[in-house]
Structure formats: C-alpha cells, structure tokens
Amino acid sequence: MGADVGFVEVSGAITGAALGRYRPVGVVRVGSAEDRAQSYRRFLDAVVHATDAQILYYYRRRDAAAISAIRRPRLRSRRNHLREQAWRHYAQAEIEMHAALLGVRLCAPTPVLAAAEHLVAAIPRFYRPGTRHTLPEAEYLSAHDECTTAQHVFLEVARRDLDYHPRPWQLLRKRRERKYREQAADGRLPH
C-alpha cells in the first residue's frame, strides 16, 4: 500500500508539472508579453490615427474659415461638409485612442503607463486652451513635433518592457543587427 501511495504522488506531481507548462501556441494570456505587445500596438495605431485625423480636421477647419468670407454658397457648403466629415473621423479616432489607452492601463507596468499618459497629453489640440481660436500653423506643427518625441519615448519604454533590446552578452545578435543596418543603408539586402 505504501508503494502505491508513493507512485500516485509521483505520477500526480509529474502530471501537474506537465499540465502547468502547457501553453497553447497562439493563445494570448492576460498580462503576458504577447498581451502587452498587442495592447501597445493597438495604442500606437490609435494614436497615429488620432493624430492624422486631427491634422486633417485642422486644415479643413482653417480652409472653411478662410472660405467663409467668399460669397459662393456651393463652395462654402462643400468645404463645410468636408470639415464636418473630418470632425467625425477625428472624434472616432479619439474614442479609439482612449479605448486603447484603457487596454494599456490594464496590462502595462508603471513606466509604460506613464509614457502612454504623457503621449496622450502631448497630442496637440487645434485650438488654444480655454478659447475656440485656431492655433497658428507654425505653433500647431511644433506641437506635433513634441508629440512625435513623446511617441518615440513611449516606443522605447515599451521595447524595454517587452525586452526587445539585446543584452550585453548577446554579441552575435548585435553584430547581425549592425550588419543588417549597414546592408539596408547600402541597398544590398539579401533576398
């Protein structure tokens, strides 16, 4: 009887260990690196989409304001329609971006979350805060440059979180990356 109990305990431990290591391929686990990477990609896509939609709306709004003085009703009507369409795209992109930010909040560690929050705050608005006046184009474009910098910061923090950077002891990987970059710069990549 004692030998049977020992056999059951050992076989149960082996089965438990085997099942504990079972990870189906392609199934994303909550909090895993795959889950975080997917969340970060969705967030970056949403930020780019919101930024592009905002640029389009900025220029449509500016054009509609410039044409409002012209006494051609068809042209003014068409510009207003384009401006309203750009506004709808911008509003939808903002909703997608905030939903993607919630996904980052769900699974990201503190440094990545801080970079994501900073990126959302860095997205420029087309108006001055507290007013409805459109920003001058130079000021608007410089604000977009700051947003691009915040995107790069988020990307680097996310890469560090996902451990995409080679370690110092991974010399062969660094050498391959450097060789690939040199070939890409020379235009002689292998097919």
Side-chain angles (χ1 to χ4, degrees), residues 174-186:
K174 286 183 176 183
R175 183 172 173 252
R176 285 182 189 149
E177 284 182 18
R178 186 175 59 246
K179 186 177 178 181
Y180 178 80
R181 278 191 241 114
E182 288 171 358
Q183 287 177 347
D186 295 341

Side-chain angles (χ1 to χ4, degrees), residues 4-58:
D4 291 338
V5 172
F7 175 74
V8 170
E9 288 175 4
V10 170
S11 65
I14 292 171
T15 305
L19 290 176
R21 281 184 273 151
Y22 173 68
R23 302 269 191 253
V25 176
V27 176
V28 177
R29 292 167 302 284
V30 175
S32 66
E34 297 93 4
D35 186 34
R36 292 191 317 271
Q38 184 179 19
S39 174
Y40 301 163
R41 273 188 225 106
R42 180 175 178 227
F43 176 69
L44 283 171
D45 288 345
V47 166
V48 168
H49 182 72
T51 305
D52 290 347
Q54 188 186 62
I55 289 171
L56 179 65
Y57 178 68
Y58 174 81

Side-chain angles (χ1 to χ4, degrees), residues 66-84:
I67 289 180
S68 65
I70 297 175
R71 296 200 172 145
R72 294 179 62 192
R74 284 186 75 183
L75 180 61
R76 206 169 43 211
S77 172
R78 177 72 179 145
R79 287 291 181 187
N80 287 339
H81 173 71
L82 290 173
R83 184 189 66 195
E84 290 169 7

Side-chain angles (χ1 to χ4, degrees), residues 98-114:
H98 287 292
L101 179 62
L102 290 175
V104 171
R105 285 180 181 161
L106 178 66
C107 64
T110 305
V112 178
L113 183 57

